[in-house]
Amino acid sequence: MSKTIIISNRLPLQISISEDHLEVTPSVGGLATGLKSFHKDGDSIWIGWPGMTEEEIPENLKNKVQQKAREENCVAVHLNANEIDGFYYGFSNRTIWPLFHYFMEYTESDDDYWHTYKEVNQKYADEILKHYKEGDVIWVHDYQLLLVPNMVREQAPDAIIGFFNHIPFPSYEVFRTLPWRDEVLQGMLGADLIGFHTYDYERHFLSSVSRILRHQVDFNQITLPDRIVKVDSFPMGIDYKKFEQAALDHYESTSADQSELQKRLDHHLESTPDAKLILSIDRLDYTKGIAHRIRAYEYFLDKNPEYIEKVRLVMLAVPSRSNVPQYRRLKREIDELVGRINGKFSTVSWTPIWYFYRSMPFENLIDLYTTCEIALLTPIRDGMNLVAKEYIATRTDHTGVLILSEMAGAAHEMNEALIINPNNFEQVAEALKTAFEMPKEEQIERNKMLQKRLRRYSVEKWAGDFMKSLRSTKENRESFQSIKINSEITQEIMTKFQQAERRILFIDYDGTLVNFTDKPENARPDADLKELIRDLNADDKTDVILISGRDKDTLGTWWKDVPVELISEHGVWMRQIDGEWELSENVKSEWMDAVRPVIENFVDRTPGTFIEEKNYSLAWHYRKADPELGEIRANELSTTLKELISNRGLSVLEGNKVLEIKSSGVNKGKASTKKLVGKDYDFIFAIGDDWTDEYMFEDLPEDSVTVKVGIKKTSARYYVEGTLKVRTLLENFRKNN
Ligand code: GDG
């Protein structure tokens, strides 16, 4: 039976040693609760680090750790202190975390960290592969494991792999500064589906992929030579029922059951009935804007002294990553700020900030959520921010006001909250005032809408939607129109080839026989290729025709010494085997002087583009332009040209990063079928990568063997992944000639 394999840096349980025996406690984080419904079904395993380094686990307890993990359907990846240092505290938290949250000044580029990160990612990938069986679905989580999808893909090419990034993905301008940007993107692209919390992160990622790796991006799909990768946004929800129920239980509890914290909170409320509590909860992290929040609160008190003694900021900062210097510095900064502000405003009976630097049990979290009438969450950058959602879920009487930073992913779905820019203290202070004065009816109205949305898009729904979309990538793969040429199909084609008396092979040049280069003049045929084409054509039974959009002079020069028929400029010219060129269509060139200046204008306005002048056509290449600008200008130019040439017997061909204007009625379909006239070929083969090759695939007789290069929509019967595979296929023809 197939299973789901979940992989995250940490396991959803924490293993610790207490007096010589192991203790297992469940993790309470959003991810752990979110995936538990999948996990507990028993048909899934979870791979991750159990929370203790190898050095911390005594030799005699090592097997026990694994055993304990297995009892919970988990597999522990053991990491030593050195690995945790380089991989977790190093590359993950000193490079990726700050960079992806736009803290470029904190981003370190350390080669040793990068090496350890790679090694540890490989360790996780190896562990996955140990447990992977065909049909299993693999779901990799978060920024610590960016390389894992491709590491798994290399060993298990047909695996279904999903990746979800829980933190922001930065704009291309920021991401491009990473020295290992190519490797990181390639690592992620091992997945079939890549998920982000918001559309903004998704588009930043797509933009980096198209600009850095130059892959074709169409809407949310990335076309790789052998696969299509889907990218989508799935805003993570919370276990709504759990928080709602906890709040309901909380209200029903008797005073004897109350926690110490709740008693103190109640005491405060009783002694100052018209005072309000403002809640803030985060890990102590510089991305969470804790210092900004305290300063904005100070600004608010300075500006509105009437609120002194009427308000208190209850601030829970959970210790986090204290091995990283910035976190230690931040701790000092917050301690000082809290001290200064408490010193500045405190009265004998009141302090403006209650500050807790610790982690609290779940029950206390609920005490805080339910007791504080205002939540003030002001991250400077935050992938999602689940605390905002949890706060709203616990407000079972629908009262309470959430003030939320627009920089949190959650702000996209929580419009009814008071959305603020955390850098604008004036705006934060205004929002605090609005929150204080907001009538109950308005609070209820806003929260009911928020709750309805959060209840519906819960974490179970989030996980379910992601898995559904991931599984559908497999169906898409299978329903792919053309068939991948594997060894069996190669054999079938070779048998037909051998049995045939007269064979003709139409072979496109750029993107088929050779890879694209930045400059078209650099794509000369190598000696092996020339040898291959010469040998194929040497057999009397076989006619080889190189059919290309290139100009006659370049093609003629490059293939001068090889006796092979050439069709250039999509069929304008044909070169016989003896080297004689003939103009095959009644084509004209007078139009070129009128059209050239229009294209030149686009070249001037679009850096990286150029005109290729052929005998009877003009081509505008935009492969080297900025990908988005290139597409926009290509659309614009195409429309302009179509208006300009109407009724002139010309047409605009839209090829692979090229627009070509030429006489209508000239295309590879017409040119190739013309070659069949009067001959009784019983094996017709055509191969090409471009949109313009589709004319051939459509016009040639139905029993032809038509092959597309790369995964694209096509009317060809088969496909191969890239130019290397094309050569292998042609080598096979040579062997069977
Ligand atoms: C990352 C991204 C994204 C907090 N303090 C205590 C405690 N918590 C729980 C909260 C909440 C979770 O921890 C914090 O989640 P956040 O989403 O707010 O933040 P990160 O930890 O930074 O998470 C973030 C998230 O991944 C999911 O994709 O939203 O943007 O940075 O569930 O309740 N729980 C307990 N005691 C505490 O003291 N028990």
Side-chain angles (χ1 to χ4, degrees):
M1 198 173 107
S2 66
K3 61 183 178 299
T4 306
I5 306 179
I6 302 162
I7 309 94
S8 61
N9 167 42
R10 293 286 290 264
L11 282 176
L13 44 87
Q14 167 82 30
I15 298 181
S16 53
I17 297 171
S18 167
E19 290 168 7
D20 238 32
H21 70 275
L22 289 178
E23 257 183 25
V24 180
T25 41
S27 302
V28 286
L31 182 64
T33 45
L35 291 177
K36 79 168 184 258
S37 50
F38 270 92
H39 188 49
K40 73 168 188 250
D41 285 349
D43 59 353
S44 82
I45 56 165
W46 194 316
I47 297 174
W49 183 54
M52 280 192 306
T53 62
E54 280 188 314
E55 290 84 345
E56 286 167 332
I57 310 174
E59 207 47 53
N60 61 332
L61 289 181
K62 280 209 168 118
N63 280 340
K64 276 242 167 84
V65 170
Q66 202 57 276
Q67 204 181 315
K68 282 270 182 201
R70 288 315 304 234
E71 283 167 17
E72 308 284 329
N73 280 337
C74 288
V75 178
V77 178
H78 289 297
L79 300 176
N80 62 37
N82 204 24
E83 287 171 327
I84 286 291
D85 254 8
F87 152 73
Y88 181 69
Y89 291 112
F91 196 75
S92 299
N93 287 322
R94 291 191 190 204
T95 308
I96 296 291
W97 177 271
L99 186 74
F100 280 32
H101 286 90
Y102 294 79
F103 281 80
M104 290 174 77
E105 69 278 23
Y106 290 172
T107 307
E108 294 176 32
S109 300
D110 183 313
D111 230 24
D112 290 340
Y113 291 160
W114 165 245
H115 283 294
T116 315
Y117 184 81
K118 275 201 289 190
E119 278 164 19
V120 173
N121 269 240
Q122 190 64 56
K123 244 182 159 174
Y124 279 86
D126 291 346
E127 199 59 49
I128 296 168
L129 288 161
K130 269 193 225 160
H131 298 272
Y132 171 74
K133 295 217 169 57
E134 206 186 309
D136 289 352
V137 176
I138 300 169
W139 190 2
V140 185
H141 288 269
D142 227 357
Y143 68 103
Q144 301 91 352
L145 304 175
L146 294 167
L147 308 179
V148 168
N150 203 41
M151 287 171 167
V152 175
R153 174 76 57 208
E154 278 171 358
Q155 303 304 317
D158 295 326
I160 307 165
I161 307 172
F163 177 81
F164 192 86
N165 199 50
H166 289 262
I167 66 173
F169 194 91
S171 120
Y172 159 71
E173 289 299 341
V174 169
F175 181 73
R176 70 193 296 202
T177 60
L178 180 70
W180 308 279
R181 60 197 184 180
D182 292 42
E183 290 94 324
V184 165
L185 291 179
Q186 270 149 5
M188 295 171 80
L189 288 178
D192 296 292
L193 173 66
I194 300 177
F196 296 96
H197 283 306
T198 72
Y199 173 65
D200 284 339
Y201 310 152
E202 174 189 336
R203 73 185 166 81
H204 291 155
F205 174 73
L206 289 171
S207 155
S208 286
V209 167
S210 79
R211 288 181 161 80
I212 295 168
L213 299 182
R214 295 254 152 197
H215 287 312
Q216 178 76 30
V217 174
D218 301 295
F219 301 104
N220 65 341
Q221 294 202 334
I222 302 164
T223 305
L224 305 182
D226 57 344
R227 284 182 305 115
I228 285 175
V229 179
K230 193 171 155 195
V231 184
D232 214 339
S233 53
F234 303 85
M236 185 172 174
I238 55 164
D239 187 344
Y240 191 90
K241 284 194 200 122
K242 175 178 150 182
F243 283 91
E244 184 186 39
Q245 193 54 51
L248 292 171
D249 293 347
H250 170 93
Y251 287 124
E252 279 182 8
S253 62
T254 59
S255 57
D257 300 334
Q258 275 187 345
S259 67
E260 273 314 301
L261 175 68
Q262 188 62 51
K263 284 180 189 152
R264 274 194 69 192
L265 291 167
D266 285 349
H267 174 74
H268 167 83
L269 292 175
E270 278 153 22
S271 59
T272 46
D274 56 346
K276 287 195 173 171
L277 296 176
I278 307 170
L279 174 66
S280 104
I281 296 185
D282 336 70
R283 275 185 308 100
L284 189 86
D285 194 298
Y286 50 80
T287 63
K288 302 284 182 183
I290 302 171
H292 278 60
R293 190 175 313 160
I294 301 173
R295 290 200 179 93
Y297 180 57
E298 177 186 20
Y299 181 85
F300 167 77
L301 288 177
D302 272 335
K303 233 186 130 194
N304 304 287
E306 67 275 19
Y307 282 100
I308 285 178
E309 293 196 336
K310 296 238 165 58
V311 58
R312 175 167 279 155
L313 178 62
V314 182
M315 212 174 75
L316 171 62
V318 182
S320 178
R321 304 172 197 169
S322 39
N323 285 22
V324 178
Q326 276 96 23
Y327 289 75
R328 286 199 295 269
R329 280 206 292 276
L330 179 68
K331 163 83 173 58
R332 272 203 305 276
E333 186 189 354
I334 303 295
D335 286 352
E336 279 166 23
L337 264 176
V338 171
R340 185 171 66 73
I341 287 161
N342 276 345
K344 178 172 165 185
F345 294 104
S346 286
T347 63
V348 271
S349 55
W350 175 79
T351 42
I353 305 176
W354 270 353
Y355 172 41
F356 302 92
Y357 175 64
R358 71 184 82 135
S359 164
M360 286 193 179
F362 181 71
E363 292 66 34
N364 286 159
L365 212 63
I366 300 298
D367 293 340
L368 290 173
Y369 283 153
T370 48
T371 311
C372 299
E373 290 103 322
I374 298 169
L376 178 62
L377 303 172
T378 58
I380 299 170
R381 290 279 163 188
D382 208 341
M384 174 52 75
N385 195 303
L386 299 177
V387 171
K389 295 186 170 182
E390 294 167 2
Y391 174 70
I392 293 295
T394 58
R395 308 299 303 179
T396 48
D397 67 353
H398 316 297
T399 63
V401 182
L402 169 65
I403 303 173
L404 178 61
S405 161
E406 65 181 57
M407 310 298 172
H412 291 261
E413 302 156 75
M414 303 186 82
N415 257 318
E416 294 80 5
L418 299 179
I419 305 292
I420 49 93
N421 174 350
N423 302 303
N424 185 342
F425 291 178
E426 185 67 46
Q427 199 191 20
V428 178
E430 267 309 303
L432 278 170
K433 214 159 173 277
T434 310
F436 272 103
E437 290 162 9
M438 190 183 284
K440 281 250 178 336
E441 302 74 54
E442 186 181 342
Q443 297 179 19
I444 292 170
E445 196 184 328
R446 286 172 184 257
N447 289 338
K448 275 189 171 168
M449 281 195 267
L450 285 168
Q451 288 171 341
K452 195 171 165 209
R453 206 172 304 128
L454 294 178
R455 188 191 296 276
R456 195 176 57 236
Y457 207 84
S458 66
V459 72
E460 289 84 2
K461 174 105 176 71
W462 166 79
D465 278 4
F466 185 90
M467 287 306 257
K468 196 165 153 214
S469 181
L470 179 56
R471 291 206 173 93
S472 78
T473 61
K474 180 170 184 259
E475 283 144 34
N476 286 351
R477 249 196 252 170
E478 283 163 0
S479 69
F480 202 71
Q481 253 188 327
S482 62
I483 306 161
K484 182 171 165 178
I485 297 196
N486 55 20
S487 52
E488 242 167 68
I489 291 171
T490 307
Q491 201 40 56
E492 275 173 34
I493 297 173
M494 292 311 143
T495 312
K496 272 196 200 163
F497 179 80
Q498 275 176 328
Q499 287 167 355
E501 286 302 316
R502 295 288 296 136
R503 311 147 177 161
I504 187 160
L505 314 179
F506 294 102
I507 309 172
D508 167 51
Y509 187 71
D510 294 274
T512 301
L513 285 179
V514 294
N515 281 323
F516 285 105
T517 54
D518 285 344
K519 288 189 184 154
E521 59 269 30
N522 290 345
R524 294 175 161 279
D526 53 89
D528 286 348
L529 178 59
K530 285 185 169 180
E531 189 71 26
L532 174 63
I533 297 296
R534 184 180 284 122
D535 289 353
L536 281 174
N537 217 14
D539 188 326
D540 284 348
K541 286 188 186 171
T542 312
D543 293 334
V544 179
I545 299 185
L546 301 187
I547 181 163
S548 164
R550 278 201 181 249
D551 69 287
K552 129 181 193 285
D553 298 334
T554 309
L555 218 53
T557 315
W558 286 354
W559 294 92
K560 195 168 76 193
D561 45 352
V562 182
V564 60
E565 286 190 52
L566 303 176
I567 294 178
S568 75
E569 296 173 40
H570 302 280
V572 172
W573 291 97
M574 298 202 184
R575 189 187 82 172
Q576 304 303 330
I577 202 139
D578 58 10
E580 276 301 304
W581 282 100
E582 69 182 46
L583 193 58
S584 64
E585 297 280 339
N586 191 13
V587 286
K588 299 184 215 98
S589 60
E590 316 84 64
W591 56 270
M592 290 167 90
D593 288 342
V595 170
R596 193 181 299 103
V598 176
I599 308 182
E600 275 166 356
N601 177 272
F602 276 76
V603 171
D604 293 342
R605 292 195 299 129
T606 323
T609 67
F610 61 92
I611 302 183
E612 186 188 357
E613 187 135 349
K614 307 184 191 178
N615 291 298
Y616 290 93
S617 66
L618 291 172
W620 178 69
H621 291 268
Y622 59 98
R623 180 168 301 280
K624 276 192 79 184
D626 174 278
E628 276 160 32
L629 181 65
E631 290 305 330
I632 291 168
R633 290 281 152 80
N635 277 332
E636 216 182 303
L637 178 58
S638 173
T639 315
T640 312
L641 288 174
K642 278 174 190 158
E643 278 167 18
L644 186 74
I645 61 172
S646 61
N647 301 329
R648 287 205 195 184
L650 298 169
S651 59
V652 179
L653 277 188
E654 293 170 15
N656 189 347
K657 304 280 180 201
V658 57
L659 282 188
E660 183 151 3
I661 173 160
K662 50 191 263 309
S663 298
S664 309
V666 177
N667 64 44
K668 288 184 176 182
K670 291 214 162 64
S672 56
T673 47
K674 205 170 160 196
K675 282 278 161 198
L676 306 181
V677 178
K679 309 261 178 68
D680 46 357
Y681 290 110
D682 49 359
F683 181 87
I684 301 168
F685 172 88
I687 189 164
D689 70 301
D690 195 14
W691 184 82
T692 57
D693 295 308
E694 295 296 318
Y695 285 115
M696 271 200 298
F697 302 148
E698 279 160 23
D699 289 0
L700 286 170
E702 216 164 291
D703 59 349
S704 307
V705 177
T706 49
V707 186
K708 183 85 170 178
V709 184
I711 297 194
K712 291 162 207 157
K713 214 170 157 36
T714 182
S715 32
R717 182 131 48 115
Y718 304 108
Y719 79 91
V720 289
E721 292 97 325
T723 53
L724 279 177
K725 290 274 160 63
V726 176
R727 294 245 185 150
T728 316
L729 193 61
L730 298 181
E731 289 290 350
N732 263 306
F733 284 137
R734 170 153 71 177
K735 272 189 236 149
N736 290 288
N737 231 352

